[in-house]
Amino acid sequence: MKRAKRIIIGHAKYFGISVLIYAGAMFLGIIISQNTRLSINPTQMYFTDTLLHNGLIGLGMLILGIITFGIFNTFFLAYNAFYLGVTVIGVYNSYGIAPLLSGVLPHAITEIMAILISCTL
């Protein structure tokens, strides 16, 4: 238990940096595209397809993060956050908050945490 606590505390600073990069890039995406309007094109996402896709993204981040000493992960983190910001403000401007709460939020919470943890490690 002591070891786990030490590992978590040791990574807290890097997790904080990941959160700051994510929040900054998302804010930038929202500011740059504040007048954007996006349409919603619903697609059916199967659990296994989504799990496989996210697993491959995580594996790719792990491998490329090791090769590039974390530089790839930082760019991917900022890219993902920027386009989430663009999407959030674009959908909000077109349809309001309801589709964001029902369609984006449930998926985004787990995916953002997974990306932040992957980039931290």
Side-chain angles (χ1 to χ4, degrees):
M1 194 59 150
K2 279 184 168 183
R3 185 169 189 253
K5 184 177 179 181
R6 188 179 42 154
I7 289 170
I8 291 170
I9 291 171
H11 286 87
K13 177 175 71 170
Y14 301 112
F15 186 77
I17 292 168
S18 294
V19 169
L20 286 174
I21 290 169
Y22 200 90
M26 187 173 174
F27 182 71
L28 184 65
I30 289 171
I31 295 301
I32 288 175
S33 61
Q34 62 184 332
N35 296 322
T36 301
R37 295 176 100 59
L38 296 176
S39 62
I40 298 174
N41 300 318
T43 57
Q44 190 170 15
M45 294 177 60
Y46 296 103
F47 176 76
T48 53
D49 293 340
T50 304
L51 184 65
L52 179 64
H53 176 262
N54 288 343
L56 290 174
I57 294 290
L59 182 63
M61 286 178 63
L62 176 69
I63 293 168
L64 289 171
I66 291 169
I67 293 170
T68 64
F69 301 104
I71 294 170
F72 172 81
N73 289 7
T74 305
F75 283 122
F76 180 78
L77 181 70
Y79 171 83
N80 184 278
F82 179 83
Y83 279 101
L84 179 61
V86 170
T87 301
V88 164
I89 197 67
V91 170
Y92 178 79
N93 287 340
S94 295
Y95 302 101
I97 193 88
L100 296 171
L101 294 176
S102 64
V104 176
L105 187 63
H107 175 75
I109 290 172
T110 55
E111 187 167 315
I112 290 170
M113 284 307 296
I115 290 171
L116 289 171
I117 291 169
S118 293
C119 287
T120 298
L121 296 176

